[in-house]
Amino acid sequence: MDDRIHISSIVLHRGEEPPISGEKGIVNVFFPSCNMQCVYCQNWEISCRGTQGTVMSLDEVCDAIIKLLPLSENNLGFVSPSHFTLQMVSIVEELRRRGHNPTIIYNTNGYDLPETLRELEGIVDVWLPDFKYSDDALAVELSQAPQYSEYALAALKEMVRQVGTTLHTDDRGIARRGIIIRHLVLPGQVENSIGVLKLIAEKLSPNLHLSLMSQYYPPDNLSAQNRKSQIANRKFLHRTVTHQEYQTVIDSFHDLGFSHGWLQDYQSHKNYRPDFSRDHPFE
Ligand code: SF4
């Protein structure tokens, strides 16, 4: 990416965890392309490598955000920001210069460098990282992300260093400081999920807030993505997670001592179908 501000979408989003979107919603800024390339990506229209989005000026981006902020819980999320952190900082600084101080949320896949995250101390209030894989071979095969677990763990340690393990919410229950770790359970990959939970419990803390997601569904272009990545057309990706698989991961969540977080309803894969060709991709 270059140094311009490439934007896929700026929308009010109500589909995040309760302390993130609350009743009103969060203003989400979606950046195009992604530093991981998951063959099963549900946002593939905008996250596919090389996707450019629309180039906007700093004023245009801030105007669009400021228009939506009064409708939100006064929070602003940056989605897939890892390769746009300099632009993100410019946006936050310009908003502050104009008198707007929304809670800033960094919504990332976790494949970030700690040294980059250190530069964001004082900019980001709430970290919202994925922890996708404990199985590094799977991370390479499905997401072109070598040494994913090592990088994600180092990134999350830096996040925890900055904000601690407690999630601070306001009197409306909206997150204002802290960290929530997301994990998407993949079909046929229960051991990967349990490995992720173990890494978090043992290397970080079981006191952290987790968000377990069951919403995986095979995207329409999965076969084409599999071919492009030159991987076997893995059958498990062509189905949703079974109830038994999801329950096994939930059991592990409890067994490992986690007690904070959110367990997505098992049927969620039927509800989450964004379409980024629409003005409102989530409606
Ligand atoms: S990390 Fe998330 S946004 Fe990026 S390609 Fe993977 S699923 Fe898509």
Side-chain angles (χ1 to χ4, degrees), residues 15 60 115 158 172 183 203 206 219:
E60 286 172 334
E115 49 266 46
E158 171 58 23
R172 288 173 45 79
H183 176 69
K203 307 281 186 186

Side-chain angles (χ1 to χ4, degrees), residues 31 33-44 46-48 79-80 108-111 130 132-133 142-143 148 184:
F31 289 116
S33 195
C34 183
N35 61 329
M36 289 174 73
Q37 293 290 288
C38 309
V39 290
Y40 51 81
C41 182
Q42 296 169 355
N43 298 343
W44 190 258
I46 64 167
S47 63
C48 166
V79 185
S80 298
T108 173
N109 51 40
Y111 203 46
D130 291 335
K132 287 177 168 297
Y133 302 105
L142 301 186
S143 302
Y148 175 87
L184 174 70

Side-chain angles (χ1 to χ4, degrees), residues 213-282:
M213 299 187 292
S214 64
Q215 69 189 35
Y216 176 85
Y217 70 92
D220 296 338
N221 63 349
L222 181 60
S223 298
Q225 291 310 327
N226 273 340
R227 277 197 298 279
K228 208 160 100 187
S229 306
Q230 298 182 319
I231 66 169
N233 198 10
R234 300 188 72 157
K235 283 191 180 151
F236 64 83
L237 288 176
H238 290 265
R239 65 171 174 84
T240 55
V241 174
T242 66
H243 189 267
Q244 181 59 46
E245 286 171 335
Y246 191 50
Q247 189 56 50
T248 304
V249 178
I250 290 174
D251 290 346
S252 178
F253 171 94
H254 292 300
D255 291 346
L256 287 164
F258 292 104
S259 57
H260 303 305
W262 299 267
L263 307 173
Q264 197 175 39
D265 287 343
Y266 172 63
Q267 295 293 328
S268 297
H269 56 268
K270 294 184 179 164
N271 306 326
Y272 186 80
R273 305 270 169 136
D275 178 354
F276 284 92
S277 63
R278 300 196 300 247
D279 284 346
H280 302 282
F282 298 93

